[in-house]
């Protein structure tokens, strides 16, 4: 060991270790054993950032769980490390998923890591280019389907039923087991469960996974209680709110543009058992929340990720949030996933053009 390495080791607290990914950090809580190969990119361990803006708004304490800090830029990595690891243990040679973007980015990255063949089915058109670029760079076989996410999932199920391919959408229960680790991290950091946890709802797997995790920690005595879960769908893709599938879902929030969620019943159970709610927010509310979160807190998220923030803002403005609560909000994906939508209302990304002169820069910046 070099002298510098020895010094670094000496400074490191006894028992400390680098973050090892969610399987190694929470192995005892996951459906893996000693023989399961761990396919990881170091996912999890994402920041829980205090939000002064939202805290003032709700007259409580609000923390934002920034899942865009995962390796492929979204919460999907938590479930994918578990699903791909188990698929490899079971002898899979190929994996398939239906995706509006983030699942494909995550699946293809972990499949590449594991040496599996990734097959991605996406709705024809209207998929954020940033997400598809990830899948392409990870070597995916990308198939566009004339239809929406629900049709893509139907075909994915058929492929998995008929051919030696593992399906890794959130209908795969191992995915939810991996995703539940985000709720563990929230409790571990806060030292308690929040009073309310808020998140977007699309295919509805994540709200179901969070409820599994919060409930397991409470049952084991790690947390003394469980939070109410507040989920928010986009108004143009809100089948759970409407109580019926939406044949042609339409929203700028592509990641939650789903008309018939695979985990619908699980999400309703999470809502009801936690004493929570699932409601909808408009695209305008979503885009406003996206801009406010970026400008006020320095957290850049894709539109779907802002749905939970938009819902919390709307609830606070309607007087529906009791003062003094501890609230956590999951933002699910990084804003770089969909820069086109983020910049759609911006006339120019450049405010001023000047000569190379300090005084001119000071003047246009309002410093002079």
């Amino acid at each position: 060991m070099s002298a510098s390495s020895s010094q670094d080791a000496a400074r490191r607290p006894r028992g400390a270790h680098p973050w090892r990914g969610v399987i190694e950090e929470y192995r005892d809580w996951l459906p893996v054993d000693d023989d399961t190969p761990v396919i990881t990119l170091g996912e999890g361990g994402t920041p829980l950032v205090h939000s002064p803006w939202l805290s003032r708004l709700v007259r409580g304490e609000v923390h934002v769980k920034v899942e865009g800090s995962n390796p492929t830029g979204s919460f999907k990595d938590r479930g994918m490390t578990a699903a791909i690891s188990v698929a490899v243990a079971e002898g899979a040679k190929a994996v398939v998923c239906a995706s509006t973007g983030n699942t494909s980015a995550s699946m293809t990255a972990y499949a590449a890591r594991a040496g599996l063949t990734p097959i991605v089915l996406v709705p024809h058109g209207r998929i954020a280019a940033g997400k598809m670029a990830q899948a392409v760079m990870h070597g995916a076989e990308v198939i566009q389907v004339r239809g929406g996410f629900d049709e893509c999932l139907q075909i994915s199920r058929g492929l998995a039923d008929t051919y030696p391919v593992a399906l890794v959408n959130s209908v795969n229960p191992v995915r939810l087991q991996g995703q539940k680790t985000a709720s563990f991290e929230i409790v571990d950091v806060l030292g308690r469960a929040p009073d309310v946890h808020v998140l977007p709802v699309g295919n509805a797997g994540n709200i179901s996974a969070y409820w599994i995790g919060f409930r397991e920690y409470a049952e084991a005595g790690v947390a003394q209680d469980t939070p109410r879960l507040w989920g928010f769908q986009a108004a143009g893709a809100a089948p759970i709110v409407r109580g019926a599938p939406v044949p042609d879902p339409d929203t700028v929030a592509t990641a939650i543009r789903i008309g018939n969620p695979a985990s619908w019943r699980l999400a309703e159970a999470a809502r009801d058992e936690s004493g929570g709610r699932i409601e909808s927010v408009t695209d305008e509310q979503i885009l406003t929340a996206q801009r406010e979160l970026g400008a006020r807190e320095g957290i850049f998220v894709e539109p779907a990720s802002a749905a939970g923030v938009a819902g919390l803002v709307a609830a606070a403005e309607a007087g529906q949030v009791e003062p003094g609560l501890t609230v956590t909000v999951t933002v699910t994906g990084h804003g770089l996933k969909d820069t086109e939508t983020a910049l759609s209302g911006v006339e120019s990304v450049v405010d001023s053009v000047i000569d190379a002169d300090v005084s001119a820069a000071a003047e246009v910046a309002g410093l002079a």
Side-chain angles (χ1 to χ4, degrees):
M1 181 181 293
S2 67
S4 61
S5 297
S6 297
Q7 292 169 356
D8 289 343
R11 285 194 293 267
R12 192 175 299 135
R14 183 174 298 173
H17 57 76
W19 183 262
R20 300 170 296 178
V22 299
I23 291 178
E24 293 298 352
E25 295 294 336
Y26 294 105
R27 174 177 285 274
D28 292 344
W29 299 86
L30 296 172
V32 297
D33 57 34
D34 292 341
D35 296 326
T36 304
V38 178
I39 311 301
T40 181
L41 289 167
E43 61 293 316
T46 56
L48 188 65
V49 180
H50 181 257
S51 171
W53 164 52
L54 291 171
S55 296
R56 287 193 300 271
L57 195 64
V58 306
R59 295 175 294 166
E61 292 298 324
V62 181
H63 301 264
V64 181
K65 185 63 168 165
V66 186
E67 288 290 88
S69 294
N70 276 298
T72 75
S74 87
F75 76 98
K76 303 285 187 178
D77 295 346
R78 292 181 182 276
M80 208 57 70
T81 182
I84 295 292
S85 295
V86 170
V88 171
E90 293 176 348
K93 302 300 180 185
V95 285
V96 64
C97 74
S99 180
T100 54
N102 282 328
T103 299
S104 68
S106 182
M107 183 198 79
T108 55
Y110 284 83
R113 186 81 170 172
L116 302 178
T117 299
I119 303 167
V120 175
L121 290 98
V122 298
H124 181 66
R126 302 181 72 186
I127 298 297
K131 300 174 186 180
M132 293 315 304
Q134 289 178 276
V136 170
M137 293 305 293
H138 296 316
E141 177 70 34
V142 180
I143 304 170
Q144 285 200 341
V145 176
R146 294 186 183 90
F149 173 85
D150 303 307
E151 287 74 23
C152 291
L153 182 57
Q154 181 180 7
I155 295 172
S156 296
R157 288 178 187 267
L159 289 175
D161 289 342
T162 309
Y163 300 92
V165 181
L167 176 63
V168 293
N169 278 100
S170 58
V171 294
N172 181 333
V174 180
R175 274 276 308 276
L176 301 190
Q177 289 292 308
Q179 287 168 212
K180 75 183 180 184
T181 59
S183 60
F184 294 166
E185 290 177 21
I186 289 171
V187 176
D188 290 345
V189 171
L190 291 180
R192 54 160 290 190
D195 299 303
V196 174
H197 183 72
V198 184
L199 71 173
V201 175
N203 208 31
N206 215 26
I207 189 171
S208 310
Y210 271 79
W211 183 236
I212 293 171
F214 282 127
R215 194 178 64 238
E216 285 184 358
Y217 252 24
E219 290 171 353
V222 181
Q224 298 306 306
D225 205 348
T226 55
R228 288 172 279 164
L229 296 188
W230 290 5
F232 292 93
Q233 299 189 292
I240 298 177
V241 178
R242 298 184 186 185
V246 177
D248 298 300
D250 185 29
T251 172
V252 297
T254 57
I256 55 174
R257 187 190 291 146
I258 296 169
N260 191 13
S263 300
W264 186 325
R265 300 309 173 205
L266 290 175
E268 287 185 325
R271 175 197 63 194
D272 297 344
E273 291 171 15
S274 73
R277 61 205 288 187
I278 296 178
E279 298 179 354
S280 64
V281 286
T282 66
D283 280 2
E284 182 180 359
Q285 289 173 304
I286 288 171
L287 294 176
T288 298
Q290 181 192 32
R291 290 191 297 269
E292 292 288 295
L293 194 61
R296 292 177 180 270
E297 304 292 18
I299 300 172
F300 182 28
V301 301
E302 64 172 313
S305 297
V309 177
L312 181 61
V313 170
E317 291 176 345
Q320 297 172 350
V321 184
E322 314 96 284
L325 297 181
T326 295
V327 180
T328 50
V329 186
T330 292
V331 289
T332 47
H334 201 287
L336 291 175
K337 294 278 190 173
D338 186 3
T339 56
E340 183 177 351
T341 300
L343 296 175
S344 60
V346 179
E347 293 184 6
S348 174
V349 296
V350 177
D351 293 320
S352 306
V353 178
I354 63 168
D355 292 325
D357 179 78
V358 173
S359 298
E363 183 176 350
V364 298
L367 301 176

